[in-house]
Amino acid sequence: MNDRIPDVADAPESAGTPPHRTPVSTMGQLFEVWSEPRGRAIEVAPRTWQITAGVVNCAVIETDEGLVLVDTGMRHDGPELLRLIRTITRAPLHTVVYTHAHIDHAFGHGPLLAEAARRGDPRPRIVAHRATMDRFRRYIRTAAFNTTLNARQSGGSRTWWPSQDSDVIWPDTLYDDALTLRIGGEELRLHHARAETDDATWVWMPGRRLVCVGDLWNGVCPNAGNPQKVQRYAEEWADAFERIAALDAQVLIPGHSMPIVGAQVVRERLGHAAELLRHIVEHTLAGLNAGLRPDAILDTLRVPAHLEHLPYLRPLHDRPEFIAANVIRLYGGWWNGYAADLLPAPRERLAAALAELAGGADVMAERARAVLADDPQLACHLAELAALAEPGSRCAQQAAADAFDVRLDAEPSFMGRGIYRTAADAARVALAALDAADGGVR
């Protein structure tokens, strides 16, 4: 019995490793949104820039005492981040603020710290919410799990992940609820929020009417549901949106996508995002209070018509159903409401029993093919069960590859696309292995 979640990131080439996935095929339309500012230093206000190395934004704020850097990108983008910064200013780096501890936001400043040491500048202060420390420690404890998970999510090879204390650039200044920094005669007000993470920080500079929010804003539907990662906090995220909207910020620098400029635009977009999250939370809680099973709560969720087609709330990263599932996990635990699934039989045994009742795995696979055009959800269930019941069935593996390809083609969200893509690729790996076992003759 194979108890592992499908993972083709480390499949041997001889077993039919799928071809390289491009960022567009991996991320879908999200890549277009996040890559629009790529490689640019966008001046959003005097002495204030959004800099994007890769697809992650950093805020560079020049003060009379030096630079404040809000977020630092990914480790492998560090040299590009340094290059972009030095095209606009030679000022020394004074302070770094982590908006949260995700690896795409808190690991790219090694070259900047090395430059400071070479220049004889004081080591920059690094500020973060206290919960970042526990998050970094969790990452170290789960490095192998997270590298596999991220490969499944992104569709690429396994990427670097911190696996020991020395891999982390630890903050030296921590805060709990709020912290005011005074740098170069200006105030930076740091505020904690629980949103995508439990360690989130957003930064308000009243003198510049600038707010830097990290992944609280990413240009599309908030990532408040991610099916493969830890708890998100949709309702508190909405609270943060409304609090920020009340500031009358003229410029918002997000964690991903283009900056938002104009106080009215900032208020409107944050207000709509808060409304979306609150709608999902209220729908979910109403379902729980009515005794509905989780799948019924997700199946009956509808986004209000006036929000559904807003380009900055499109489900390109996360999607409303995933957010509802996360709210269920927060309030109601992980049981799905079906008694047999509380301590279930291994799925392979269930699949084998159902295939026997159907007349064989190939019969189930053919049924999956027959319903694929009209009911791809059901087709995926049938094809997956057929492949589990008889992994050596070419018919079942081909049905699984075809069914999950259809789901992948129709799926807008980065989170969903990774899972469907991995399932389709795993079936193709299995098919290639069967061909290899037969000497390449079918």
Side-chain angles (χ1 to χ4, degrees), residues 198-320:
D198 60 359
D199 63 343
T201 291
W202 53 272
V203 182
W204 168 234
M205 287 192 72
R208 302 194 187 197
R209 294 180 65 191
L210 167 73
V211 63
C212 307
V213 301
D215 275 356
L216 269 70
W217 189 266
N218 61 21
V220 292
C221 177
N223 183 22
N226 194 322
Q228 299 189 80
K229 297 197 175 181
V230 298
Q231 186 66 53
R232 267 72 168 138
Y233 305 93
E235 193 161 20
E236 291 165 271
W237 200 332
D239 293 341
F241 277 150
E242 290 169 354
R243 188 176 179 188
I244 296 167
L247 295 174
D248 198 36
Q250 177 65 27
V251 176
L252 182 149
I253 295 181
H256 305 271
S257 75
M258 293 292 285
I260 304 176
V261 179
Q264 181 176 344
V265 180
V266 171
R267 284 194 302 272
E268 181 177 74
R269 294 190 181 185
L270 296 183
H272 285 150
E275 184 182 357
L276 173 65
L277 292 176
R278 292 203 187 283
H279 171 80
I280 295 169
V281 171
E282 292 307 315
H283 169 87
T284 305
L285 294 182
L288 290 174
N289 285 324
L292 297 182
R293 291 189 178 100
D295 57 354
I297 294 173
L298 270 59
D299 190 54
T300 55
L301 176 62
R302 301 291 182 272
V303 174
H306 68 285
L307 301 177
E308 185 176 12
H309 300 296
L310 294 175
Y312 47 86
L313 294 181
R314 288 178 295 171
L316 301 185
H317 191 208
D318 211 332
R319 59 183 300 154

Side-chain angles (χ1 to χ4, degrees), residues 44-197:
V44 295
R47 304 173 77 194
T48 310
W49 298 266
Q50 174 181 297
I51 286 185
T52 309
V55 294
V56 184
N57 298 336
C58 306
V60 176
I61 303 160
E62 187 174 34
T63 76
D64 291 345
E65 286 188 63
L67 300 179
V68 176
L69 180 62
V70 181
D71 280 343
T72 69
M74 300 188 74
R75 190 174 78 157
H76 66 259
D77 288 327
E80 174 69 358
L81 175 63
L82 173 61
R83 185 193 71 79
L84 286 168
I85 290 174
R86 291 309 172 211
T87 65
I88 56 173
T89 176
R90 298 302 300 173
L93 181 60
H94 183 280
T95 296
V96 173
V97 177
Y98 296 159
T99 64
H100 59 300
H102 279 173
I103 65 162
D104 59 336
H105 289 265
F107 287 88
H109 48 311
L112 281 159
L113 298 182
E115 179 199 62
R118 288 194 307 270
R119 290 170 33 155
D121 298 334
R123 181 177 173 82
R125 169 177 50 182
I126 301 175
V127 186
H129 186 264
R130 192 174 305 278
T132 59
M133 305 296 278
D134 287 339
R135 180 171 294 273
F136 283 138
R137 295 186 187 106
R138 290 198 303 271
Y139 284 172
I140 291 169
R141 292 186 68 189
T142 58
F145 168 71
N146 272 293
T147 53
T148 301
L149 183 160
N150 276 5
R152 184 185 312 119
Q153 179 173 285
S154 67
S157 59
R158 289 179 174 169
T159 56
W160 176 87
W161 193 270
S163 60
Q164 54 191 352
D165 283 2
S166 59
D167 290 334
V168 176
I169 303 176
W170 298 89
D172 52 61
T173 303
L174 302 174
Y175 79 99
D176 293 303
D177 297 319
L179 175 67
T180 297
L181 304 176
R182 293 176 175 83
I183 303 171
E186 299 186 76
E187 281 192 357
L188 292 89
R189 300 176 186 172
L190 279 58
H191 299 273
H192 174 236
R194 294 207 306 176
E196 185 183 41
T197 64

Side-chain angles (χ1 to χ4, degrees), residues 11-26:
E13 193 167 318
S14 60
T17 302
H20 172 71
R21 297 283 188 175
T22 67
V24 174
S25 67
T26 294

